[in-house]
């Protein structure tokens, strides 16, 4: 209930203004976000990589309805890639893109614009030795995102995509996409979706996650197991063993600031552990989804407000 209310609030302009202008919120935000500037993303990458972690970087921003802003987001990624390359940190790093930030929802030629912006980023990333994964947004964007993925993969087969276990369609998408070398990030799904398209009960989402994971682990692609759920992690480890997938054949992914001790544990056990590092000043939508996932985060925020 609280989660649904927070996701609804994340679309409300007055709530957005109140949350983003509070200095206290900003302190809590720092737990989940590397910083506002590209330098913070680069420094966090250096720190995590020296600790043995892989990274995927997300320049925050979504739902762009302005062509200039979509192009500015593309340029922000190009700057990120070149800064990482200058510092010797690009190779084997990854960036995560939201196509809505690239202009996907613009009326008229939005999809074409998003594909062109993503294409420019994928080409620069490939030159620098980086990979790209497309984030998945709400269910209305899935067909468009998978269509753009197919286009991008013609030039860069390593481009990955996130699939959301909560959607009924995802098992079929996993089957279609578990092809040789195909990088698929399996997540539970962070958006408020109608029950016509998504499992309403969390227990059913978890069961769907296991079914999707079984398909991906049995397939020929490269599964990216993105979850903080210890049960899903244990099941992924068992499935990897069953299908003889070694540490180079799949990876775990978790969000920056969430369950760092589990991240460290998996890394120490020899698994590839990639941390999703968001940065930038447009953190509101991302932050509200993190609050919605876990009521304890709201308590943490409220406690900070009271004890400031
Ligand atoms: P679940 O929600 O069951 O949480 C399991 C446990 O993890 C909790 O009990 C808690 O201990 C911890 N936890 C989870 N969320 C937390 C939080 N916010 N704060 C503190 N602790 C928390 N979604 C999407 O729709 N599209 C996408 O592209 C992506 N991309 C993505 C990348 C990566 C690397 C990750 C890890 C996740 C995403 N997600 C996403 C988000 C995903 O859909 C999902 O909402 C969150 O990962 C939470 O689900 P869990 O699988 O962790 O399980």
């Amino acid at each position: 209930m609280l989660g649904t209310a927070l996701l609804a609030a994340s679309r409300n302009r007055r709530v957005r203004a109140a949350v983003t202008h509070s200095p206290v919120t900003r302190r809590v935000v720092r737990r989940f976000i590397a910083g506002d500037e590209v330098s913070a993303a680069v420094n966090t990458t250096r720190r995590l990589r020296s600790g043995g972690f892989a990274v995927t970087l997300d320049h925050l921003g979504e739902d762009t309805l302005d062509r200039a802003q979509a192009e500015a987001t593309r340029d922000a990624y190009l700057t990120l890639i070149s800064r990482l390359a200058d510092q010797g940190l690009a190779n084997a790093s990854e960036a995560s893109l939201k196509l809505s930030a690239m202009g996907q929802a613009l009326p008229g030629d939005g999809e074409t614009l998003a594909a062109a912006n993503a294409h420019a980023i994928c080409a620069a990333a490939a030159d620098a030795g980086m990979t790209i994964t497309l984030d998945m947004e709400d269910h209305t964007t899935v067909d468009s995102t998978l269509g753009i993925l197919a286009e991008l993969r013609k030039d860069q087969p390593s481009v990955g995509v996130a699939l959301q276990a909560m959607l009924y369609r995802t098992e079929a998408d996993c089957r279609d996409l578990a092809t040789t070398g195909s990088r698929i990030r399996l997540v539970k799904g962070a958006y408020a979706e109608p029950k016509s398209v998504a499992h309403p009960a969390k227990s059913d989402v978890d069961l769907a996650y296991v079914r999707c994971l079984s398909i991906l682990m049995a397939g020929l692609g490269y599964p990216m197991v993105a979850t903080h759920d210890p049960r899903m992690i244990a099941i992924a480890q068992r499935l990897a063993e069953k299908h003889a997938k070694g540490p180079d054949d799949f990876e775990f992914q978790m969000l920056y600031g969430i369950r760092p001790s589990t991240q460290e544990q998996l890394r120490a056990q020899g698994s590839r552990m990639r941390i999703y590092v968001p940065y930038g000043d447009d953190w509101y939508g991302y932050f509200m989804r993190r609050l919605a996932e876990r009521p304890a985060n709201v308590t943490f925020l409220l406690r900070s407000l009271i004890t400031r």
Side-chain angles (χ1 to χ4, degrees):
M1 280 290 278
L2 178 61
T4 315
L6 283 165
L7 289 173
S10 72
R11 305 260 175 204
N12 179 304
R13 268 212 234 146
R14 278 165 64 189
V15 176
R16 181 185 182 114
V19 172
T20 47
H21 290 121
S22 155
V24 178
T25 316
R26 283 196 153 252
R27 283 208 296 277
V28 179
V29 162
R30 270 187 222 123
R31 177 183 155 194
F32 300 110
I33 286 147
D36 285 0
E37 307 295 334
V38 67
S39 56
V42 173
N43 291 338
T44 305
T45 300
R46 185 181 299 105
R47 180 169 57 78
L48 289 171
R49 286 186 54 149
S50 66
F53 295 101
V55 294
T56 183
L57 292 141
D58 168 29
H59 176 77
L60 290 164
E62 50 202 87
D63 297 336
T64 299
L65 284 173
D66 168 340
R67 199 177 183 97
Q69 199 188 337
E71 287 165 357
T73 303
R74 175 202 62 201
D75 293 347
Y77 274 100
L78 296 176
T79 301
L80 170 71
I81 292 166
S82 94
R83 294 280 173 87
L84 289 171
D86 289 348
Q87 302 280 322
L89 293 168
N91 192 35
S93 288
E94 187 186 277
S96 288
L97 310 186
K98 280 190 175 48
L99 289 177
S100 75
M102 306 281 145
Q104 188 181 30
L106 278 167
D109 66 346
E111 272 191 50
T112 312
L113 175 70
N117 286 337
H119 194 274
I121 296 168
C122 290
D127 284 348
M130 283 177 70
T131 48
I132 297 291
T133 290
L134 304 180
D135 284 348
M136 192 57 83
E137 302 177 68
D138 73 75
H139 79 276
T140 61
T141 67
V142 178
D143 281 329
S144 160
T145 298
L146 294 183
I148 293 174
L149 173 79
E151 281 304 309
L152 294 172
R153 280 185 168 181
K154 285 181 187 162
D155 282 341
Q156 312 288 347
S158 68
V159 180
V161 72
L163 295 178
Q164 299 151 320
M166 72 189 300
L167 299 182
Y168 302 133
R169 62 175 285 167
T170 296
E171 270 181 76
D173 289 335
C174 286
R175 259 183 227 106
D176 287 349
L177 287 163
T179 51
T180 308
S182 166
R183 297 170 62 256
I184 302 296
R185 174 199 297 159
L186 184 64
V187 301
K188 289 189 184 176
Y191 293 81
E193 299 288 11
K195 61 179 181 222
S196 53
V197 300
H199 298 283
K202 190 175 175 343
S203 54
D204 288 330
V205 176
D206 290 352
L207 290 171
Y209 193 97
V210 175
R211 289 194 298 275
C212 292
L213 198 52
S214 305
I215 296 166
L216 296 177
M217 283 291 192
L220 299 169
Y222 180 81
M224 302 186 278
V225 184
T227 181
H228 315 89
D229 185 337
R231 291 166 312 153
M232 301 302 137
I233 292 167
I235 291 168
Q237 287 168 325
R238 282 204 296 277
L239 285 168
E241 217 174 282
K242 178 176 166 193
H243 296 290
K245 277 194 169 356
D248 291 336
D249 302 325
F250 75 104
E251 67 185 43
F252 288 107
Q253 297 190 347
M254 290 191 202
L255 302 177
Y256 180 73
I258 298 184
R259 292 212 151 188
S261 56
T262 312
Q263 297 173 3
E264 176 54 36
Q265 205 182 354
L266 287 167
R267 185 207 62 76
Q269 285 168 6
S271 297
R272 186 170 296 152
M273 178 74 243
R274 192 178 298 277
I275 317 288
Y276 184 107
V277 180
Y279 73 98
D281 55 12
D282 192 0
W283 43 260
Y284 179 73
Y286 181 88
F287 178 64
M288 292 300 274
R289 286 194 295 280
R290 301 297 77 83
L291 291 187
E293 276 156 5
R294 191 150 160 79
N297 290 342
V298 181
T299 315
F300 179 61
L301 175 64
L302 293 175
R303 206 182 309 123
S304 314
L305 282 165
I306 293 161
T307 58
R308 81 182 129 133

